[in-house]
Amino acid sequence: MSARLPSWAWVTGLTTGAIAVVGFLAVQADQGTKPTAATSRPSASATADAKPSAEPEKKKPAAVPADSGTGRRIVYSLDQKRVWLVDASDAARRTFTVWPGTVSPDPGTYEVGTRTEATTGSDGVEVEHIMYFAAKSGVSVAFSNAVDGSSPPPAAPDAKTGGIRVTKNDGRALWTFGTPGTAVRVVG
Protein backbone atom coordinates (compact mmCIF):
# COMPACT_ATOMS: atom_id res chain seq x y z
CA MET A 1 0.00 0.00 0.00
CA SER A 2 1.46 3.40 -1.01
CA ALA A 3 1.40 6.43 1.29
CA ARG A 4 -0.69 9.35 0.10
CA LEU A 5 0.36 12.91 0.65
CA PRO A 6 -2.22 14.96 2.55
CA SER A 7 -4.06 17.60 0.51
CA TRP A 8 -2.49 20.45 2.48
CA ALA A 9 0.95 19.29 1.28
CA TRP A 10 -0.18 19.45 -2.35
CA VAL A 11 -1.70 22.91 -1.90
CA THR A 12 1.41 24.18 -0.11
CA GLY A 13 3.68 22.80 -2.84
CA LEU A 14 1.63 24.24 -5.67
CA THR A 15 1.31 27.64 -3.96
CA THR A 16 5.05 27.81 -3.30
CA GLY A 17 5.78 26.92 -6.92
CA ALA A 18 3.34 29.55 -8.21
CA ILE A 19 4.87 32.25 -6.01
CA ALA A 20 8.36 31.34 -7.22
CA VAL A 21 7.26 31.54 -10.89
CA VAL A 22 5.52 34.91 -10.38
CA GLY A 23 8.58 36.28 -8.57
CA PHE A 24 10.87 35.09 -11.37
CA LEU A 25 8.64 36.64 -14.04
CA ALA A 26 8.44 39.93 -12.11
CA VAL A 27 12.23 40.16 -11.95
CA GLN A 28 12.48 39.37 -15.67
CA ALA A 29 9.86 42.00 -16.54
CA ASP A 30 11.61 44.62 -14.42
CA GLN A 31 14.89 44.00 -16.27
CA GLY A 32 13.37 44.24 -19.74
CA THR A 33 12.96 47.27 -21.93
CA LYS A 34 10.29 49.75 -20.94
CA PRO A 35 7.99 51.32 -23.53
CA THR A 36 7.96 55.09 -23.61
CA ALA A 37 5.42 57.43 -25.12
CA ALA A 38 6.54 59.95 -27.70
CA THR A 39 6.64 63.39 -26.15
CA SER A 40 7.10 65.54 -29.23
CA ARG A 41 5.29 65.98 -32.49
CA PRO A 42 6.73 67.12 -35.80
CA SER A 43 6.52 70.88 -36.18
CA ALA A 44 4.91 72.64 -39.10
CA SER A 45 8.39 73.76 -40.17
CA ALA A 46 9.58 70.19 -40.73
CA THR A 47 10.75 69.76 -44.30
CA ALA A 48 8.90 67.38 -46.58
CA ASP A 49 12.11 65.75 -47.79
CA ALA A 50 13.37 64.83 -44.33
CA LYS A 51 14.33 61.19 -44.28
CA PRO A 52 13.64 59.02 -41.22
CA SER A 53 16.76 57.55 -39.66
CA ALA A 54 17.28 53.80 -39.45
CA GLU A 55 17.41 54.00 -35.65
CA PRO A 56 15.04 55.98 -33.47
CA GLU A 57 16.56 58.85 -31.55
CA LYS A 58 17.23 57.81 -27.98
CA LYS A 59 16.58 60.40 -25.33
CA LYS A 60 19.18 60.50 -22.62
CA PRO A 61 17.51 60.43 -19.20
CA ALA A 62 17.81 63.64 -17.22
CA ALA A 63 20.93 63.59 -15.06
CA VAL A 64 20.64 63.64 -11.28
CA PRO A 65 21.27 67.26 -10.18
CA ALA A 66 24.88 67.74 -9.04
CA ASP A 67 23.83 69.52 -5.84
CA SER A 68 21.58 66.68 -4.66
CA GLY A 69 23.94 65.04 -2.17
CA THR A 70 25.21 61.48 -2.15
CA GLY A 71 24.02 58.04 -1.14
CA ARG A 72 20.60 56.40 -1.33
CA ARG A 73 17.98 59.12 -1.65
CA ILE A 74 14.95 60.54 -3.42
CA VAL A 75 15.83 63.71 -5.31
CA TYR A 76 13.05 66.21 -6.13
CA SER A 77 13.85 69.13 -8.46
CA LEU A 78 11.44 72.04 -8.10
CA ASP A 79 12.56 73.65 -11.37
CA GLN A 80 12.46 70.46 -13.46
CA LYS A 81 9.32 69.05 -11.78
CA ARG A 82 11.17 65.72 -11.70
CA VAL A 83 12.07 63.01 -9.19
CA TRP A 84 15.00 60.58 -9.20
CA LEU A 85 15.30 57.42 -7.13
CA VAL A 86 19.04 57.17 -6.44
CA ASP A 87 20.69 54.05 -5.01
CA ALA A 88 23.59 53.86 -2.54
CA SER A 89 26.14 53.91 -5.38
CA ASP A 90 24.69 57.27 -6.58
CA ALA A 91 23.15 55.69 -9.70
CA ALA A 92 19.67 56.85 -10.70
CA ARG A 93 17.43 53.78 -10.75
CA ARG A 94 14.36 55.64 -12.01
CA THR A 95 13.40 59.19 -12.93
CA PHE A 96 10.03 60.68 -13.76
CA THR A 97 8.17 63.97 -14.00
CA VAL A 98 5.66 65.08 -11.36
CA TRP A 99 2.74 67.47 -10.93
CA PRO A 100 3.54 69.63 -7.89
CA GLY A 101 0.92 71.18 -5.63
CA THR A 102 0.69 74.91 -4.97
CA VAL A 103 2.90 74.74 -1.85
CA SER A 104 6.47 73.58 -2.46
CA PRO A 105 9.02 72.63 0.18
CA ASP A 106 12.12 74.78 0.53
CA PRO A 107 15.31 73.32 -0.93
CA GLY A 108 17.04 71.13 1.63
CA THR A 109 17.25 67.62 3.01
CA TYR A 110 14.22 65.88 4.51
CA GLU A 111 13.27 62.29 5.15
CA VAL A 112 10.23 60.15 4.46
CA GLY A 113 8.11 60.20 7.61
CA THR A 114 4.53 59.05 7.77
CA ARG A 115 3.27 56.85 4.95
CA THR A 116 -0.41 56.29 4.24
CA GLU A 117 -1.61 53.63 1.80
CA ALA A 118 -4.75 55.48 0.64
CA THR A 119 -6.91 58.51 1.45
CA THR A 120 -8.74 61.37 -0.25
CA GLY A 121 -6.55 64.26 -1.39
CA SER A 122 -7.35 67.89 -0.59
CA ASP A 123 -8.68 68.17 -4.16
CA GLY A 124 -11.23 65.39 -3.50
CA VAL A 125 -9.38 62.78 -5.57
CA GLU A 126 -8.76 59.30 -4.13
CA VAL A 127 -4.98 58.94 -3.77
CA GLU A 128 -2.61 56.16 -2.71
CA HIS A 129 1.06 55.65 -1.84
CA ILE A 130 1.17 58.88 0.18
CA MET A 131 4.64 59.62 1.54
CA TYR A 132 4.92 62.72 3.75
CA PHE A 133 8.35 64.34 3.99
CA ALA A 134 7.95 68.08 4.67
CA ALA A 135 5.62 70.84 5.84
CA LYS A 136 5.46 74.50 4.87
CA SER A 137 3.05 77.23 5.91
CA GLY A 138 0.94 74.66 7.77
CA VAL A 139 0.60 72.45 4.68
CA SER A 140 1.99 68.89 4.62
CA VAL A 141 4.02 68.03 1.53
CA ALA A 142 3.84 64.46 0.22
CA PHE A 143 4.25 62.35 -2.88
CA SER A 144 1.15 60.43 -4.02
CA ASN A 145 -0.64 59.08 -7.06
CA ALA A 146 -4.32 59.11 -8.00
CA VAL A 147 -5.93 55.70 -7.59
CA ASP A 148 -7.49 56.06 -11.06
CA GLY A 149 -4.14 57.11 -12.56
CA SER A 150 -5.28 60.60 -13.55
CA SER A 151 -3.23 63.79 -13.36
CA PRO A 152 -4.47 66.32 -10.80
CA PRO A 153 -7.01 68.91 -11.86
CA PRO A 154 -5.74 72.51 -11.90
CA ALA A 155 -5.77 73.93 -8.38
CA ALA A 156 -7.83 76.98 -7.54
CA PRO A 157 -5.65 80.10 -7.38
CA ASP A 158 -6.06 80.42 -3.61
CA ALA A 159 -5.77 76.70 -2.82
CA LYS A 160 -2.92 75.47 -0.65
CA THR A 161 -2.05 71.94 -1.71
CA GLY A 162 1.16 70.10 -0.88
CA GLY A 163 0.52 66.93 -2.85
CA ILE A 164 3.17 66.10 -5.45
CA ARG A 165 1.36 63.76 -7.83
CA VAL A 166 3.03 61.06 -9.85
CA THR A 167 1.73 58.43 -12.27
CA LYS A 168 0.37 55.19 -10.85
CA ASN A 169 3.47 53.15 -11.86
CA ASP A 170 5.84 55.81 -10.55
CA GLY A 171 3.83 55.99 -7.31
CA ARG A 172 4.23 52.25 -6.81
CA ALA A 173 8.01 52.48 -7.44
CA LEU A 174 8.34 55.48 -5.12
CA TRP A 175 6.38 53.68 -2.39
CA THR A 176 8.67 50.64 -2.64
CA PHE A 177 11.85 52.75 -2.65
CA GLY A 178 10.85 55.39 -0.08
CA THR A 179 10.70 53.51 3.18
CA PRO A 180 10.41 55.58 6.39
CA GLY A 181 13.65 57.43 7.03
CA THR A 182 14.71 57.54 3.36
CA ALA A 183 16.43 60.86 2.58
CA VAL A 184 14.54 63.28 0.33
CA ARG A 185 16.75 65.97 -1.18
CA VAL A 186 14.86 68.95 -2.61
CA VAL A 187 16.81 71.12 -5.07
CA GLY A 188 15.86 74.28 -6.97
Side-chain angles (χ1 to χ4, degrees), residues 15-113:
T15 302
T16 302
I19 290 171
V21 168
V22 169
F24 173 78
L25 292 174
V27 168
Q28 293 300 313
D30 191 45
Q31 292 175 352
T33 58
K34 312 284 189 291
T36 56
T39 57
S40 62
R41 294 189 175 107
S43 66
S45 64
T47 60
D49 62 342
K51 306 250 188 297
S53 67
E55 292 188 26
E57 181 180 328
K58 291 184 179 178
K59 268 192 153 179
K60 187 175 181 181
V64 178
D67 58 347
S68 69
T70 59
R72 188 176 186 280
R73 66 200 181 279
I74 298 168
V75 177
Y76 171 40
S77 170
L78 300 169
D79 295 340
Q80 294 183 49
K81 298 179 183 170
R82 176 171 288 280
V83 165
W84 291 262
L85 305 182
V86 182
D87 68 16
S89 68
D90 287 326
R93 292 296 167 201
R94 187 178 187 117
T95 184
F96 46 89
T97 56
V98 300
W99 297 281
T102 60
V103 176
S104 295
D106 293 324
T109 302
Y110 305 88
E111 66 179 41
V112 173

Side-chain angles (χ1 to χ4, degrees), residues 2 10 18 72 86 100 108 112 121 131 135 140 144-146 148 154 160 169 176 186:
S2 65
W10 284 101
R72 188 176 186 280
V86 182
V112 173
M131 297 173 29
S140 294
S144 66
N145 64 272
D148 67 3
K160 289 188 174 189
N169 286 339
T176 301
V186 178

